[in-house]
Amino acid sequence: MAKASSSLQRMTRQRRILMEVMDRANWHPTAEEIYNVVRERAPRISLGTVYRNLDVLSREGMIMKIEETGGQRRYDGNPKPHFHVFCLKCGVVRDLHENDINWDGPPEATCPGFTITGFKLVFEGYCSACLD
Amino acid sequence: MAKASSSLQRMTRQRRILMEVMDRANWHPTAEEIYNVVRERAPRISLGTVYRNLDVLSREGMIMKIEETGGQRRYDGNPKPHFHVFCLKCGVVRDLHENDINWDGPPEATCPGFTITGFKLVFEGYCSACLD
DNA sequence: GTAAATGCAAAAACTTTGCAAATTC
DNA sequence: GAATTTGCAAAGTTTTTGCATTTAC
């Protein structure tokens, strides 16, 4: 089994600001949107640094990466288990909490102001070839 | 509510071959991989046509688009409800069927040859602003 | 002091699009 | 014959990367 070494070795100013921004974000921004917010406090930060840190934080389980959005990837500063719903037309993403879901069989959810038509469920882990 | 008009108006040679390829695909290819297979039978097809048809077919529910893969989007020729598992390291995607999942609460799955560490659940539909 | 992280800019990767020509019904 | 679809090529988007410099510990 691969050693789970932390990738968070140095708390740089840029990383700290990014973490604070994600912690306070109450929506599901794209990397570029995050970049624009972080830039208010770290004007010289680069988009590359934002991407690198978002990768680190999501690998460390401190944020969530949402790929199933029908468009650009989005990020969620809340790492606690919860789920999402997105609009097939405009792409907006909203949170869904465990309590809003009927777990009696394949999940069903109701979300005020949303007509849900389906869901996607993807598990993740390691195949035996990659598990050393 | 928007009219659910079919986007499959003409069965072109390219579209038919693509549909046959997807129907027989027993793995989860990327658009480019599909392009390479289809090209064996339709050498002049363009990657743009592949993308356009993959979009049409997934909007029509004839194939599945898998975005939550940690990398490139992948496509699944099987439109029947089923789920996926992917390797966080090498990115391989495998199928999971309903019966392999424990639906008693938040889903748990076992998949031979796979160590599962988590899952993502995303609902889709239409927000009230987009539902006309 | 040393290794990790950044900024910059370029490149890579992926996807969409405009338009004339070809094709389907 | 009319409207859809294609091929081509270009452009658009999104993400990653190499490398010299800076920064954290």
Side-chain angles (χ1 to χ4, degrees), chain A residues 46-105:
Chain A
S46 70
L47 188 53
T49 294
V50 171
Y51 271 107
R52 278 183 286 227
N53 276 295
L54 288 172
D55 272 355
V56 168
L57 296 180
S58 72
R59 254 186 281 118
E60 293 297 315
M62 305 181 73
I63 64 174
M64 245 192 242
K65 186 190 287 189
I66 316 168
E67 301 182 72
E68 199 74 59
T69 62
Q72 302 181 55
R73 290 176 189 167
R74 294 185 170 274
Y75 296 85
D76 188 327
N78 176 11
K80 288 182 224 125
H82 69 284
F83 313 102
H84 297 101
V85 56
F86 82 95
C87 176
L88 289 161
K89 193 164 172 197
C90 72
V92 66
V93 173
R94 298 239 293 267
D95 281 338
L96 277 175
H97 296 278
E98 286 212 5
N99 296 344
D100 301 325
I101 297 173
N102 174 8
W103 295 111
D104 182 26

Side-chain angles (χ1 to χ4, degrees), chain B residues 2-3 51-52 77-78 90 99 108 113 131:
Chain B
K3 179 166 157 261
Y51 272 107
R52 279 183 287 227
N78 176 10
C90 72
N99 297 344
E108 293 170 24
L131 193 70

